[in-house]
Amino acid sequence: MAVVARLLILNGPNLNLLGQREQAIYGSKTLDEIMLECQQFAGTCEFELGHLQTNAEHELVERIHTAASDGTHGVVFNPAAFTHTSIALRDALLAVGLPFVEVHLSQPLGREAFRQHSYFSDIAIGTIAGFGPDGYVLGLQALINYLDG
Ligand code: DQA
């Protein structure tokens, strides 16, 4: 890209509990530690990076709306449990038309039946799942590659 890319990471409910939450599935790193790695990656690759974690669906909807007009070029999104429930978040992403990569720490397809369906996979550039915290940097790299065309 000619201009510096501005990317946004969005994290959904319960991801603020990473490091304590079901460590056998999600690992021992906290969200702050993972986001620090992402900021370091952004520094290396020279792009701007914003982040929001919230447990509230409407706050994610509103942040996606704002992203349409604040210069954001693309989003890395772990919708967490909203992956399997939220038509509102799907519609928000379709409404703004921003490219996004869906990320999951675990591999939902290998877990309970209710995790087998995502409201996002068919409209995402792609999905990265099952690589633990590394999925975020992998998602950022994939998004940069996509934006570079
Ligand atoms: C998750 C997978 C979801 O099924 C779950 O509800 C989460 C986390 C993941 O990152 O593996 O909260 O998105």
Side-chain angles (χ1 to χ4, degrees), residues 11-15 18 21-22 25-26 77-84 102-109 111-112 114-117 128-130 132 136:
N11 277 304
N14 303 305
L15 293 172
L18 288 177
R21 174 191 183 200
E22 297 180 275
I25 296 173
Y26 298 116
F77 191 18
N78 185 346
F82 292 145
T83 305
H84 319 295
E102 178 184 1
V103 167
H104 301 284
L105 295 114
S106 67
Q107 171 50 285
L109 295 178
R111 299 179 62 191
E112 303 97 320
F114 63 82
R115 296 185 205 275
Q116 308 286 312
H117 177 258
I128 294 170
Y136 288 93

Side-chain angles (χ1 to χ4, degrees), residues 38-88:
C38 290
Q39 288 293 353
Q40 287 166 345
F41 181 68
T44 305
C45 298
E46 299 182 339
F47 61 85
E48 292 178 19
L49 184 60
H51 173 234
L52 172 69
Q53 186 281 324
T54 175
N55 298 317
E57 187 177 29
H58 74 279
E59 289 178 4
L60 289 167
V61 169
E62 283 158 15
R63 186 65 189 89
I64 290 165
H65 293 177
T66 303
S69 57
D70 72 357
T72 297
H73 295 98
V75 177
V76 167
F77 191 18
N78 185 346
F82 292 145
T83 305
H84 319 295
T85 64
S86 185
I87 299 170

Side-chain angles (χ1 to χ4, degrees), residues 125-144:
I125 302 165
T127 301
I128 294 170
F131 295 101
D134 292 347
Y136 288 93
V137 166
L138 292 169
L140 289 168
Q141 182 69 69
L143 188 54
I144 290 282

